[in-house]
């Protein structure tokens, strides 16, 4: 298995739920993944932003929130062990 490591942390295997794949364009997913990987946590409150920065430093789960060009909200979650990064819709959590 190949792990991508270009940004601030390993992404592990990148997967997406069927729901997010049906409604979010690939260009929006790629843009959001690039931001997530670089430490831009997207549309989260200041407290969640700080929690992600702490999680990055201490090896905890990372959660980012983004909005597609079509106005669809979706999340990206990278697990604490950096084995998997998942795209999903909030209602799929």
């Amino acid at each position: 298995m190949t792990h991508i490591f270009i940004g601030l942390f390993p992404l592990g295997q990148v997967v997406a739920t069927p729901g997010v794949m049906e409604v979010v364009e690939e260009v929006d997913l790629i843009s959001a993944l690039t931001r997530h990987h670089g430490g831009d946590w997207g549309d989260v409150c200041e407290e969640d932003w700080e929690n992600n920065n702490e999680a990055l430093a201490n090896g905890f789960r990372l959660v980012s929130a983004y909005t597609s060009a079509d106005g669809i909200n979706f999340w990206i979650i990278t697990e604490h062990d950096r084995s998997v990064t998942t795209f999903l819709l909030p209602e799929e959590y």
Side-chain angles (χ1 to χ4, degrees), residues 59-81:
F60 301 128
R61 186 173 68 164
L62 301 164
V63 181
S64 297
Y66 304 97
T67 304
S68 73
D70 294 332
I72 298 165
N73 296 318
F74 64 97
W75 295 349
I76 301 176
I77 299 175
T78 299
E79 296 302 328
H80 73 282
D81 63 0

Side-chain angles (χ1 to χ4, degrees), residues 11-78:
L11 292 170
Q13 182 178 11
V14 179
V15 299
T17 64
V20 81
M21 292 301 295
E22 287 179 21
V23 297
V24 180
E25 297 292 328
E26 184 176 348
V27 66
D28 292 319
L29 297 175
I30 292 169
S31 174
L33 185 62
T34 301
R35 291 173 60 191
H36 176 78
H37 203 203
D40 175 350
W41 314 122
D43 306 324
V44 298
C45 68
E46 184 176 336
E47 180 180 355
D48 287 344
W49 193 287
E50 291 171 7
N51 287 339
N52 271 346
N53 287 339
E54 182 178 324
L56 179 62
N58 295 303
F60 301 128
R61 186 173 68 164
L62 301 164
V63 181
S64 297
Y66 304 97
T67 304
S68 73
D70 294 332
I72 298 165
N73 296 318
F74 64 97
W75 295 349
I76 301 176
I77 299 175
T78 299

